[in-house]
Amino acid sequence: MTARELDAAGVTDPALRSAYAECRRLNARHGRSYFLATRLLPVERRSAVHALYGFARHADDLVDEAPDASPAERSAALDALEAQWRAALRGAPVTEPAVAAAADARARLGISPRHFDDFLASMRSDLFVTDYPTYADLRRYMHGSAAVIGLQMVPVLGTVVPREEAEPYAAALGVAFQLTNFLRDVGEDLDRGRVYLPADLLAASGADRELLEWSRATGRGDPRITAAMRAAAALTRDAYREAEPGIGLLEPVSAPCVRTAFVLYREILRVIEEEGFAVVQRRAVVGNRRRAVIALGGLAGVLAARVGRGRLPAAASRTGALAAGALGRTEGRRT
């Protein structure tokens, strides 16, 4: 399917095709919800999504997935990635596949380089920032780590209104997705020495970093933690409500993809609540059967949109089968 996606997108250079294919493998391996939703996009739009995901994932892994590396070594690796990115923007050849593919997708779609600058700045802050005093502080971080991902996606998805009208909703959806991840991954982030839930939100329920670390170490819960997690879930639901009207501003062939991602991620919140907000001890996971039901709902939207454009229903059915096949893959931390 990779060749078909690249052919449809007009990517012909062999080296670039290889770079895009590597990004697709990253998305399939790590971005379970993201990859599943991407399968519902028209085939010509998928490779750009894979490229943008691959770049974000690669940068994230440099910061988080090298447990034996020192902060200085991680910083140097991020410096090298940023240097390659700057070179790619100038049209120079680069060796990192994720950089090559993302730079090509950026140029094809006219995505602002500022969004990538802001993203890299937030990734760099993860090297030395381990917690956030207030929600306002966290929002500044999430602008670069999440909101700009939504902004990068707007040109890929297309809109039925001027792009700038859809952008605030796209940014809000990126924030909603990341807040969901922060809540789901409280325990894993503690293991990395980080607390993304802001201290003022925790303190309002009588919780703090020390209490979270105690809970992680002992496996025991505490009503103050439960109250704080419930407040974080409410904050996250507010972000989803803020973002949802933007789905209707997208092109009809893209909206089912985003709606499916919206429902998949919001479902994580339902599971967290169902499991008693025990996220310090374990990671909430949406079951495959439920994922399949959500994917089929997305497929119905794809079918309606494609029939409206005069495409054969079989094309949408093939997309749905491929989307269902993505259910067995692994999900990454940020996506």
Side-chain angles (χ1 to χ4, degrees):
M1 187 56 64
T2 304
R4 179 169 171 259
E5 291 175 353
L6 293 171
D7 290 344
V11 179
T12 58
D13 178 81
L16 269 178
R17 288 174 72 91
S18 177
Y20 273 101
E22 176 58 26
C23 290
R24 186 183 187 278
R25 284 190 289 271
L26 280 172
N27 196 354
R29 185 163 64 246
H30 296 291
R32 188 177 184 182
S33 296
Y34 208 70
F35 185 77
L36 173 58
T38 302
R39 302 305 301 150
L40 300 175
L41 278 176
V43 65
E44 68 274 8
R45 304 190 188 199
R46 296 175 199 163
S47 59
V49 179
H50 299 321
L52 297 174
Y53 178 94
F55 182 81
R57 181 74 202 193
H58 182 64
D60 192 40
D61 284 351
L62 290 178
V63 172
D64 282 344
E65 301 302 325
D68 297 329
S70 68
E73 289 170 330
R74 296 181 190 188
S75 180
L78 201 57
D79 286 344
L81 176 68
E82 189 164 0
Q84 286 216 37
W85 176 251
R86 302 293 174 206
L89 290 181
R90 297 192 303 268
V94 295
T95 58
E96 171 52 50
V99 172
D104 182 72
R106 188 214 68 79
R108 287 173 182 268
L109 294 163
I111 302 171
S112 172
R114 183 181 70 252
H115 299 328
F116 296 88
D117 293 341
D118 292 345
F119 171 75
L120 289 170
S122 283
M123 292 302 96
R124 190 170 297 282
S125 76
D126 273 335
L127 296 171
F128 55 87
V129 177
T130 61
D131 50 38
Y132 295 85
T134 68
Y135 184 55
D137 295 318
L138 183 66
R139 284 298 297 247
R140 283 190 286 272
Y141 167 80
M142 289 193 297
H143 169 75
S145 65
V148 297
I149 304 299
L151 295 174
Q152 290 172 17
M153 284 293 298
V154 172
V156 181
L157 300 169
T159 61
V160 295
V161 297
R163 186 184 296 182
E164 58 271 18
E165 290 184 26
E167 287 181 337
Y169 299 101
L173 188 56
V175 168
F177 286 171
Q178 186 157 72
L179 285 172
T180 303
N181 286 347
F182 287 160
L183 186 58
R184 179 195 63 190
D185 298 341
V186 169
E188 294 177 12
D189 287 330
L190 280 167
D191 294 342
R192 295 185 175 98
R194 300 199 196 111
V195 176
Y196 285 103
L197 299 183
D200 60 351
L201 181 146
L202 295 171
S205 299
D208 57 19
R209 183 187 187 117
E210 184 177 357
L211 184 63
L212 295 178
E213 290 172 342
W214 168 84
S215 179
R216 182 67 170 173
T218 63
R220 295 168 62 183
D222 185 284
R224 293 168 292 179
I225 295 176
T226 301
M229 299 306 144
R230 185 176 288 112
L235 192 67
T236 306
R237 289 195 182 281
D238 287 343
Y240 279 107
R241 281 191 287 271
E242 180 183 351
E244 188 169 14
I247 299 175
L249 305 182
L250 300 174
E251 289 185 3
V253 293
S254 298
C257 164
V258 178
R259 172 64 65 182
T260 299
F262 182 97
V263 176
L264 280 168
Y265 270 86
R266 196 172 56 181
E267 185 71 5
I268 296 171
L269 285 182
R270 186 193 65 78
V271 173
I272 289 171
E273 292 169 346
E274 187 177 79
E275 295 181 352
F277 297 95
V279 288
V280 178
Q281 288 76 39
R282 61 181 180 271
R283 193 179 201 251
V285 176
V286 179
N288 281 354
R289 180 174 297 179
R290 177 60 179 155
R291 286 178 178 275
V293 170
I294 294 170
L296 288 174
L299 174 60
V302 170
L303 180 59
R306 293 190 178 185
V307 167
R309 294 179 70 190
R311 294 192 178 188
L312 293 175
S317 299
R318 183 169 61 249
T319 299
L322 289 166
L327 290 168
R329 302 189 186 274
T330 330
E331 185 171 10
R333 184 174 72 86
R334 291 186 186 277
T335 52

